[in-house]
């Protein structure tokens, strides 16, 4: 990866990583990442317009005093988040990191991009619209409550994947392991969990809080939508994503903190990558 491009994504990663520190650091680092991206050719003018609109809508969704304005801004935020995460808006030149590499015997070739648009969605939602831990002691409590859900989610999801023939056992440590986990966490997992759990599930649970079953309906809807979003990989892959989504949503409901869902999600992805056919068997999709 050329140095200007690498700098762009290092700055974006730093912006995401500093969300838990001083509130001015993420926007400053994000602005620097955008500037570096424009100079490196990762971003072009239409991308800048899309990012400004998305950031403005997300800020209003979390800070506007008038309820109608907040609702309108939230709708725009959801639509722009989906468009950016699905790479439907112009102006982004996301670099290719892994190009159709067969990581396991009989595996579907794997491709990975460093996605600035999806990473930006994760950063902005995480910073302005997600409930996060605020202290080390609180983080410890969240981790203790998350661990049982993490184990159950990994066992249930990969157990179903094995039983359905989607993956096979394949213990490996390819040279791409560390970069895969870092890129997957920062530019995929953060965006998905911030959107499905921190944004949709949290607000649906709030809207249904007068009902005893409201929070669990929010869990179910969050998981179903997450599974549906992955149906492009096939029916069995969508079902697996739905099973995993139940675990991510349960972890969020159990702790009310986005870190729980992030941890379960990246743990499952890492175990899948290292211990099983990745992303899936050719005859299993």
């Amino acid at each position: 990866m050329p140095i200007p491009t690498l700098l762009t994504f290092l700055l974006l990663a730093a912006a995401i990583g500093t969300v838990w520190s001083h509130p001015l650091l993420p926007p400053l680092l994000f602005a620097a990442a955008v500037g570096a991206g424009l100079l490196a050719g990762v971003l072009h003018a239409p991308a800048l317009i899309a990012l400004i609109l998305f950031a403005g809508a997300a800020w209003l969704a979390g800070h506007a005093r008038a309820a109608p304005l907040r609702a309108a801004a939230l709708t725009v935020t959801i639509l722009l988040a989906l468009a950016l995460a699905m790479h439907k808006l112009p102006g982004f030149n996301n670099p290719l990191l892994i190009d159709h590499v067969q990581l396991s015997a009989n595996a579907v070739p794997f491709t990975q991009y460093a996605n600035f648009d999806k990473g930006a969605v994760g950063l902005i939602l995480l910073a302005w619209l997600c409930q996060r831990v605020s202290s080390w002691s609180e983080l410890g409590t969240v981790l203790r409550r998350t661990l049982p859900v993490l184990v159950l989610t990994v066992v249930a999801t990969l157990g179903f994947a094995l039983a359905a023939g989607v993956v096979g056992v394949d213990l490996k440590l390819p040279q791409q392991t560390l970069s895969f986990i870092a890129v997957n966490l920062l530019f995929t997992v953060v965006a998905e969990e911030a959107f499905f759990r921190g944004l949709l599930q949290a607000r649906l649970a709030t809207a249904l809080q007068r009902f005893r079953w409201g929070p669990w309906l929010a869990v179910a809807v969050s998981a179903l939508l997450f599974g549906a979003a992955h149906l492009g990989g096939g029916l069995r892959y969508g079902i697996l994503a739905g099973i995993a989504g139940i675990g991510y949503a349960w972890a969020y409901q159990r702790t009310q903190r986005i870190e729980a869902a992030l941890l379960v999600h990246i743990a499952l992805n890492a175990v899948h990558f290292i211990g099983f056919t990745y992303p899936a068997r050719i005859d299993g999709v």
Side-chain angles (χ1 to χ4, degrees):
M1 184 184 294
I3 291 177
T5 302
L6 178 61
L7 178 62
T8 298
F9 285 93
L10 287 176
L11 287 167
L12 179 57
I16 295 170
T18 55
V19 163
W20 289 268
S21 62
H22 195 284
L24 289 180
L25 277 177
L28 290 175
L29 288 166
F30 182 56
V34 169
L38 289 169
L39 292 174
V42 174
L43 305 177
H44 302 284
L48 182 60
I49 295 170
L51 292 172
I52 291 172
L53 289 174
F54 178 64
W59 190 89
L60 285 173
H63 296 84
R65 292 185 177 181
L69 180 56
R70 284 200 311 273
L74 181 61
T75 301
V76 174
T77 298
I78 291 171
L79 294 175
L80 286 176
L82 287 171
L84 286 163
M86 296 170 67
H87 319 301
K88 298 299 184 182
L89 298 182
F92 297 89
N93 183 27
N94 295 314
L96 179 63
L97 302 180
I98 302 176
D99 187 10
H100 287 82
V101 173
Q102 194 170 34
L103 295 166
S104 306
N106 194 36
V108 175
F110 176 63
T111 297
Q112 185 182 51
Y113 288 85
N115 293 312
F116 195 101
D117 39 9
K118 194 167 184 176
V121 167
L123 167 65
I124 291 169
L125 294 182
L126 183 67
W128 286 341
L129 295 173
C130 291
Q131 291 292 327
R132 307 186 307 273
V133 299
S134 57
S135 67
W136 287 106
S137 61
E138 184 182 9
L139 177 61
T141 301
V142 167
L143 292 177
R144 287 191 296 273
R145 293 182 63 81
T146 301
L147 184 58
V149 181
L150 187 158
V151 173
L152 286 172
T153 302
V154 170
V155 171
T157 306
L158 293 175
F160 181 87
L162 277 171
V166 177
V167 301
V169 176
D170 180 35
L171 187 62
K172 59 192 178 300
L173 275 175
Q175 63 180 8
Q176 303 95 339
T177 300
L178 290 179
S179 64
F180 164 81
I181 292 174
V183 170
N184 185 251
L185 171 62
L186 292 167
F187 307 134
T188 298
V189 170
V190 168
E192 291 181 354
E193 292 310 309
F195 181 78
F196 286 100
R197 258 55 70 177
L199 183 65
L200 296 185
Q201 181 180 334
R203 277 148 187 82
L204 182 57
T206 298
L208 298 172
Q209 63 184 346
R210 64 184 181 276
F211 303 108
R212 182 181 301 177
W213 44 262
W216 296 108
L217 178 60
V219 166
V221 171
S222 170
L224 285 171
L225 289 175
F226 187 73
H230 289 79
L231 283 173
L235 178 60
R236 280 184 284 185
Y237 193 72
I239 293 172
L240 282 168
I243 294 170
I246 292 172
Y248 309 153
W250 180 20
Y252 183 81
Q253 168 60 23
R254 186 174 169 85
T255 63
Q256 295 299 304
R257 294 295 181 269
I258 194 63
E259 291 84 359
L262 293 174
L263 178 59
V264 178
H265 196 154
I266 192 58
L268 175 59
N269 287 0
V271 172
H272 180 188
F273 186 86
I274 293 170
F276 298 85
T277 311
Y278 197 90
R281 291 166 54 93
I282 293 174
D283 54 1
V285 294

